Amino acid sequence: MGKQRTNITIDADLLAYAREKGLNVSAITEEALRAARREAWAQENAAAIDSLNAWVEQNGLPLAKYQVLKV
């Protein structure tokens, strides 16, 4: 997926600091948005993940008997 230009409003002092330090505001913003998306996904799927983990703890891994390397 390509990049798209957008406008955002940032505190002037923070923007001046970012420029002074040579920080890439676009890259920082993208990473913050990716982190927010990961966190939202984890929260939205927490119940399913907990349920699966509980099932595995109770029943073991479904194909464990076929596991070649035992850890």
Side-chain angles (χ1 to χ4, degrees):
M1 194 183 267
K3 296 196 178 220
Q4 181 175 339
R5 262 182 143 11
T6 188
N7 292 321
I8 60 174
T9 303
I10 300 175
D11 179 81
D13 291 336
L14 288 175
L15 184 57
Y17 174 79
R19 287 179 175 159
E20 175 185 309
K21 296 298 181 182
L23 300 174
N24 184 331
V25 175
S26 294
I28 293 168
T29 304
E30 282 184 5
E31 184 52 38
L33 290 170
R34 283 186 188 101
R37 183 169 53 184
R38 282 191 303 268
E39 179 62 30
W41 184 93
Q43 287 178 0
E44 290 167 7
N45 292 285
I49 293 168
D50 291 343
S51 175
L52 178 60
N53 287 338
W55 187 92
V56 169
E57 189 160 320
Q58 186 176 30
N59 300 295
L61 292 172
L63 302 175
K65 65 182 179 182
Y66 301 110
Q67 186 177 358
V68 175
L69 178 61
K70 304 288 183 183
V71 184

XYZ file of all heavy atoms in Angstrom:
551
model
N 0.845 -1.168 0.000
C 0.000 0.000 0.000
C 0.890 1.231 0.000
O 1.865 1.297 0.731
C -0.909 -0.030 1.232
C -2.026 0.961 1.143
S -3.035 0.981 2.610
C -4.291 -0.171 2.175
N 0.539 2.193 -0.795
C 1.340 3.405 -0.913
C 1.093 4.383 0.219
O 0.224 4.193 1.056
N 1.860 5.428 0.192
C 1.717 6.476 1.202
C 0.800 7.561 0.673
O 0.669 7.748 -0.522
C 3.074 7.052 1.562
C 3.965 6.012 2.216
C 5.116 6.646 2.912
C 5.938 5.553 3.579
N 6.398 5.946 4.859
N 0.187 8.264 1.605
C -0.727 9.331 1.244
C -0.407 10.560 2.076
O -0.164 10.473 3.275
C -2.164 8.888 1.522
C -3.187 9.921 1.149
C -4.604 9.388 1.332
O -4.825 8.191 1.367
N -5.547 10.300 1.438
N -0.400 11.682 1.421
C -0.160 12.946 2.122
C -1.367 13.300 2.968
O -2.510 13.057 2.598
C 0.050 14.063 1.114
C 1.487 14.382 0.843
C 1.541 15.537 -0.134
N 2.515 16.560 -0.056
C 3.604 16.658 0.652
N 3.896 15.741 1.498
N 4.426 17.658 0.560
N -1.091 13.883 4.134
C -2.163 14.350 5.006
C -1.660 15.534 5.820
O -0.450 15.771 5.883
C -2.655 13.218 5.927
O -3.824 13.658 6.621
C -1.603 12.806 6.933
N -2.548 16.239 6.411
C -2.183 17.346 7.285
C -2.572 16.992 8.709
O -3.661 16.475 8.942
C -2.913 18.637 6.881
C -2.438 19.150 5.548
O -1.263 19.089 5.238
N -3.367 19.643 4.749
N -1.678 17.281 9.646
C -1.983 17.085 11.054
C -1.594 18.349 11.806
O -0.777 19.141 11.338
C -1.259 15.859 11.650
C 0.262 16.002 11.542
C -1.714 14.579 10.982
C 1.031 14.897 12.251
N -2.191 18.532 12.946
C -1.881 19.679 13.776
C -1.042 19.202 14.954
O -1.447 18.276 15.665
C -3.175 20.338 14.284
O -3.966 20.686 13.150
C -2.875 21.581 15.086
N 0.124 19.819 15.134
C 1.065 19.434 16.186
C 1.452 20.689 16.951
O 1.623 21.762 16.362
C 2.331 18.777 15.583
C 1.963 17.525 14.791
C 3.338 18.440 16.666
C 3.128 16.892 14.083
N 1.617 20.535 18.235
C 2.093 21.642 19.063
C 3.379 22.219 18.451
O 4.305 21.478 18.109
C 2.358 21.121 20.482
C 2.872 22.198 21.406
O 2.065 22.985 21.915
O 4.118 22.244 21.594
N 3.434 23.531 18.317
C 4.558 24.198 17.645
C 5.890 23.906 18.327
O 6.904 23.699 17.655
C 4.313 25.699 17.580
N 5.906 23.881 19.652
C 7.152 23.596 20.369
C 7.639 22.180 20.101
O 8.833 21.943 19.936
C 6.966 23.808 21.882
C 6.777 25.276 22.242
O 7.218 26.145 21.461
O 6.185 25.547 23.310
N 6.696 21.237 20.067
C 7.085 19.849 19.792
C 7.613 19.697 18.370
O 8.588 18.973 18.133
C 5.901 18.905 20.007
C 5.489 18.672 21.446
C 4.222 17.822 21.506
C 6.609 18.005 22.226
N 6.981 20.366 17.435
C 7.445 20.296 16.055
C 8.828 20.919 15.917
O 9.707 20.364 15.241
C 6.455 20.979 15.113
C 6.784 20.877 13.631
C 6.906 19.428 13.188
C 5.729 21.604 12.806
N 9.061 22.039 16.590
C 10.383 22.680 16.559
C 11.424 21.750 17.156
O 12.538 21.617 16.623
C 10.348 24.002 17.314
N 11.074 21.087 18.248
C 12.000 20.137 18.881
C 12.327 18.988 17.930
O 13.485 18.605 17.783
C 11.388 19.588 20.178
C 12.208 18.508 20.807
C 13.336 18.817 21.567
C 11.888 17.170 20.644
C 14.108 17.826 22.144
C 12.651 16.170 21.211
C 13.767 16.497 21.959
O 14.535 15.504 22.522
N 11.286 18.441 17.286
C 11.493 17.331 16.354
C 12.417 17.738 15.218
O 13.338 16.996 14.852
C 10.151 16.854 15.800
N 12.201 18.920 14.684
C 13.055 19.398 13.597
C 14.484 19.613 14.080
O 15.441 19.275 13.391
C 12.486 20.684 13.016
C 11.249 20.431 12.190
C 10.674 21.708 11.627
N 9.551 21.411 10.739
C 8.630 22.271 10.427
N 8.665 23.512 10.894
N 7.640 21.924 9.621
N 14.624 20.190 15.275
C 15.947 20.441 15.858
C 16.722 19.135 16.038
O 17.933 19.082 15.814
C 15.762 21.131 17.214
C 17.030 21.364 17.999
C 16.721 21.947 19.380
O 15.978 22.943 19.451
O 17.222 21.383 20.372
N 16.013 18.086 16.421
C 16.657 16.787 16.665
C 16.741 15.920 15.412
O 17.276 14.820 15.454
C 15.907 16.020 17.755
C 15.933 16.699 19.104
C 17.349 16.816 19.623
C 17.383 17.466 20.983
N 18.724 17.651 21.497
N 16.193 16.423 14.316
C 16.241 15.658 13.067
C 15.303 14.455 13.072
O 15.557 13.473 12.382
N 14.235 14.546 13.842
C 13.294 13.431 13.933
C 12.349 13.437 12.736
O 11.929 14.498 12.274
C 12.485 13.537 15.227
C 13.292 13.502 16.524
C 12.393 13.766 17.721
C 14.020 12.191 16.669
N 12.010 12.271 12.271
C 11.088 12.119 11.160
C 9.674 12.001 11.733
O 9.260 10.940 12.202
C 11.457 10.877 10.347
C 10.597 10.698 9.126
O 9.446 11.112 9.096
N 11.153 10.045 8.125
N 8.940 13.098 11.700
C 7.598 13.142 12.298
C 6.668 12.144 11.624
O 5.855 11.494 12.283
C 7.033 14.578 12.245
C 5.607 14.625 12.755
C 7.913 15.519 13.061
N 6.777 11.994 10.324
C 5.918 11.039 9.614
C 6.180 9.615 10.092
O 5.232 8.866 10.356
C 6.156 11.121 8.108
O 5.731 12.367 7.610
N 7.436 9.238 10.199
C 7.781 7.884 10.640
C 7.329 7.645 12.080
O 6.819 6.571 12.410
C 9.279 7.651 10.512
N 7.509 8.644 12.928
C 7.085 8.515 14.328
C 5.569 8.363 14.404
O 5.050 7.524 15.153
C 7.563 9.731 15.148
C 9.085 9.719 15.249
C 6.923 9.755 16.529
C 9.680 11.011 15.789
N 4.845 9.139 13.619
C 3.390 9.062 13.599
C 2.924 7.702 13.097
O 2.030 7.085 13.681
C 2.803 10.181 12.717
O 3.280 11.439 13.209
C 1.300 10.166 12.706
N 3.540 7.220 12.018
C 3.177 5.899 11.488
C 3.388 4.823 12.534
O 2.538 3.942 12.711
C 4.003 5.570 10.252
C 3.548 6.262 8.999
C 4.339 5.823 7.774
O 5.177 4.909 7.877
O 4.113 6.417 6.715
N 4.511 4.846 13.222
C 4.791 3.827 14.234
C 3.794 3.910 15.385
O 3.336 2.885 15.892
C 6.219 3.944 14.754
C 6.590 2.854 15.748
C 6.313 1.436 15.274
O 6.506 1.135 14.080
O 5.871 0.608 16.112
N 3.435 5.118 15.800
C 2.447 5.280 16.869
C 1.089 4.718 16.440
O 0.404 4.064 17.237
C 2.327 6.747 17.252
N 0.707 4.963 15.192
C -0.558 4.429 14.694
C -0.528 2.912 14.583
O -1.512 2.229 14.897
C -0.902 5.058 13.340
C -1.283 6.541 13.391
C -1.370 7.118 11.988
C -2.571 6.737 14.163
N 0.607 2.357 14.154
C 0.737 0.894 14.096
C 0.622 0.290 15.496
O -0.031 -0.742 15.690
C 2.061 0.497 13.464
C 2.094 0.635 11.978
C 3.392 0.074 11.386
N 3.462 0.399 9.983
C 4.189 1.392 9.469
N 4.949 2.143 10.255
N 4.186 1.632 8.183
N 1.279 0.919 16.477
C 1.213 0.432 17.854
C -0.217 0.495 18.388
O -0.686 -0.427 19.058
C 2.157 1.245 18.749
N -0.934 1.565 18.073
C -2.323 1.699 18.506
C -3.189 0.619 17.863
O -4.066 0.038 18.523
C -2.855 3.088 18.155
N -2.931 0.317 16.589
C -3.694 -0.733 15.904
C -3.411 -2.105 16.515
O -4.322 -2.904 16.724
C -3.361 -0.727 14.408
C -4.170 -1.728 13.620
C -4.053 -1.561 12.129
N -2.676 -1.541 11.665
C -2.329 -1.322 10.402
N -3.247 -1.087 9.490
N -1.069 -1.317 10.055
N -2.120 -2.379 16.825
C -1.772 -3.661 17.470
C -2.463 -3.794 18.828
O -2.995 -4.852 19.165
C -0.261 -3.773 17.652
C 0.503 -4.132 16.400
C 1.961 -4.478 16.713
N 2.669 -3.422 17.407
C 3.388 -2.466 16.825
N 3.480 -2.432 15.502
N 4.016 -1.564 17.540
N -2.442 -2.714 19.609
C -3.058 -2.726 20.932
C -4.565 -2.933 20.829
O -5.147 -3.708 21.585
C -2.753 -1.419 21.672
C -3.365 -1.326 23.044
C -2.875 -2.373 24.019
O -1.718 -2.823 23.908
O -3.658 -2.760 24.908
N -5.207 -2.258 19.883
C -6.647 -2.420 19.687
C -6.973 -3.851 19.283
O -7.938 -4.449 19.789
C -7.154 -1.435 18.630
N -6.164 -4.434 18.395
C -6.391 -5.819 17.976
C -6.270 -6.749 19.167
O -7.103 -7.653 19.356
C -5.387 -6.219 16.887
C -5.640 -7.603 16.366
C -6.399 -7.946 15.296
C -5.134 -8.829 16.912
N -6.400 -9.309 15.141
C -5.628 -9.882 16.122
C -4.312 -9.152 17.986
C -5.344 -11.209 16.380
C -4.026 -10.488 18.242
C -4.539 -11.507 17.443
N -5.241 -6.559 19.983
C -5.034 -7.414 21.154
C -6.214 -7.308 22.120
O -6.668 -8.322 22.668
C -3.726 -7.049 21.857
N -6.720 -6.102 22.330
C -7.870 -5.922 23.221
C -9.130 -6.550 22.633
O -9.891 -7.203 23.355
C -8.107 -4.438 23.492
C -7.072 -3.833 24.414
C -7.300 -2.343 24.643
O -8.238 -1.765 24.113
N -6.423 -1.731 25.418
N -9.345 -6.362 21.344
C -10.534 -6.915 20.696
C -10.532 -8.436 20.697
O -11.591 -9.066 20.705
C -10.630 -6.419 19.255
C -10.959 -4.947 19.131
C -10.755 -4.406 17.730
O -10.471 -5.201 16.796
O -10.872 -3.178 17.556
N -9.358 -9.031 20.678
C -9.250 -10.484 20.580
C -8.809 -11.144 21.880
O -8.542 -12.350 21.896
C -8.286 -10.847 19.450
C -8.861 -10.473 18.111
O -9.748 -11.145 17.605
N -8.403 -9.371 17.544
N -8.755 -10.386 22.959
C -8.262 -10.917 24.240
C -9.088 -12.108 24.722
O -8.528 -13.105 25.191
C -8.240 -9.817 25.294
N -10.391 -12.041 24.606
C -11.239 -13.137 25.080
C -10.972 -14.413 24.296
O -10.861 -15.507 24.884
C -12.710 -12.746 24.983
N -10.846 -14.301 22.980
C -10.581 -15.484 22.152
C -9.203 -16.058 22.451
O -9.036 -17.283 22.525
C -10.687 -15.120 20.673
N -8.225 -15.192 22.640
C -6.864 -15.657 22.948
C -6.840 -16.356 24.300
O -6.249 -17.430 24.448
C -5.869 -14.478 22.897
C -5.744 -13.970 21.460
C -4.515 -14.883 23.460
C -5.024 -12.650 21.327
N -7.510 -15.764 25.307
C -7.579 -16.381 26.632
C -8.278 -17.733 26.567
O -7.850 -18.692 27.211
C -8.301 -15.465 27.619
C -7.503 -14.228 27.961
O -6.270 -14.207 27.716
O -8.113 -13.259 28.481
N -9.345 -17.804 25.787
C -10.084 -19.059 25.644
C -9.213 -20.139 25.004
O -9.185 -21.283 25.457
C -11.332 -18.819 24.794
O -12.005 -20.028 24.552
N -8.509 -19.770 23.955
C -7.628 -20.733 23.289
C -6.513 -21.185 24.221
O -6.200 -22.382 24.302
C -7.035 -20.130 22.018
C -6.059 -21.024 21.251
C -6.728 -22.315 20.810
C -5.485 -20.303 20.064
N -5.903 -20.246 24.937
C -4.835 -20.602 25.870
C -5.339 -21.537 26.962
O -4.646 -22.486 27.347
C -4.210 -19.350 26.483
C -3.342 -18.601 25.497
O -2.869 -19.156 24.510
N -3.123 -17.320 25.751
N -6.545 -21.293 27.469
C -7.125 -22.159 28.493
C -7.377 -23.555 27.925
O -7.103 -24.568 28.590
C -8.421 -21.560 29.020
N -7.872 -23.622 26.681
C -8.119 -24.918 26.059
C -6.822 -25.700 25.902
O -6.767 -26.895 26.197
C -8.789 -24.730 24.698
C -9.224 -26.028 24.088
C -10.419 -26.632 24.208
C -8.421 -26.901 23.271
N -10.438 -27.817 23.531
C -9.214 -28.009 22.944
C -7.122 -26.846 22.795
C -8.747 -29.051 22.160
C -6.654 -27.892 22.010
C -7.460 -28.974 21.694
N -5.780 -25.033 25.431
C -4.486 -25.697 25.241
C -3.925 -26.149 26.581
O -3.373 -27.251 26.698
C -3.486 -24.773 24.500
C -2.073 -25.343 24.544
C -3.930 -24.574 23.062
N -4.074 -25.334 27.612
C -3.573 -25.723 28.933
C -4.316 -26.952 29.444
O -3.722 -27.835 30.054
C -3.731 -24.564 29.911
C -3.026 -24.833 31.225
C -2.761 -23.574 32.008
O -2.393 -22.556 31.408
O -2.908 -23.643 33.238
N -5.597 -27.017 29.170
C -6.399 -28.149 29.635
C -6.196 -29.396 28.778
O -6.129 -30.503 29.297
C -7.876 -27.763 29.624
C -8.790 -28.809 30.217
C -10.226 -28.341 30.263
O -10.662 -27.542 29.431
N -10.973 -28.821 31.238
N -6.066 -29.236 27.464
C -6.034 -30.371 26.546
C -4.675 -30.632 25.904
O -4.489 -31.656 25.270
C -7.057 -30.150 25.425
C -8.451 -30.020 25.966
O -8.991 -30.961 26.523
N -9.033 -28.848 25.841
N -3.763 -29.703 26.019
C -2.477 -29.831 25.348
C -2.588 -29.396 23.890
O -3.674 -29.140 23.378
N -1.462 -29.327 23.234
C -1.456 -28.930 21.826
C -2.063 -30.042 20.980
O -1.776 -31.224 21.190
C -0.032 -28.626 21.363
C 0.595 -27.379 21.985
C 2.062 -27.283 21.606
C -0.151 -26.132 21.554
N -2.906 -29.688 20.007
C -3.618 -30.697 19.234
C -2.720 -31.708 18.517
O -3.061 -32.873 18.439
C -4.404 -29.868 18.210
C -4.501 -28.516 18.793
C -3.285 -28.337 19.634
N -1.586 -31.290 18.006
C -0.719 -32.199 17.241
C 0.565 -32.541 17.989
O 1.561 -32.937 17.379
C -0.400 -31.583 15.885
C -1.623 -31.257 15.013
C -1.200 -30.534 13.744
C -2.403 -32.506 14.689
N 0.557 -32.430 19.303
C 1.775 -32.646 20.092
C 2.351 -34.042 19.895
O 3.568 -34.222 19.924
C 1.482 -32.395 21.567
N 1.487 -35.036 19.665
C 2.012 -36.401 19.520
C 2.846 -36.562 18.251
O 3.622 -37.495 18.126
C 0.874 -37.416 19.557
C -0.088 -37.334 18.410
C -1.201 -38.343 18.579
C -2.206 -38.260 17.457
N -3.304 -39.200 17.657
N 2.693 -35.650 17.316
C 3.466 -35.707 16.075
C 4.727 -34.840 16.122
O 5.458 -34.787 15.148
C 2.606 -35.273 14.889
C 1.393 -36.134 14.711
C 0.124 -35.628 14.967
C 1.499 -37.449 14.321
C -1.011 -36.419 14.813
C 0.377 -38.264 14.169
C -0.858 -37.732 14.417
O -1.959 -38.517 14.268
N 4.951 -34.196 17.246
C 6.093 -33.302 17.383
C 7.393 -34.109 17.376
O 7.544 -35.047 18.148
C 5.979 -32.498 18.688
C 7.036 -31.459 18.855
C 6.820 -30.647 20.134
O 5.852 -30.859 20.848
N 7.728 -29.748 20.406
N 8.312 -33.744 16.480
C 9.560 -34.476 16.350
C 10.560 -34.013 17.423
O 11.170 -34.826 18.106
C 10.170 -34.265 14.944
C 11.532 -34.915 14.842
C 9.221 -34.802 13.893
N 10.707 -32.718 17.561
C 11.647 -32.166 18.520
C 10.905 -31.849 19.806
O 10.048 -30.984 19.844
C 12.298 -30.885 17.962
C 13.268 -30.165 18.874
C 14.458 -31.053 19.221
C 13.731 -28.887 18.237
N 11.198 -32.562 20.858
C 10.529 -32.344 22.147
C 11.359 -31.337 22.934
O 12.545 -31.510 23.133
C 10.416 -33.648 22.948
C 9.713 -34.763 22.217
C 8.252 -34.514 22.108
C 7.585 -35.701 21.433
N 6.197 -35.547 21.213
N 10.700 -30.278 23.374
C 11.394 -29.224 24.116
C 11.102 -29.362 25.585
O 10.072 -29.686 26.027
C 10.956 -27.824 23.622
C 11.755 -26.745 24.319
C 11.124 -27.725 22.124
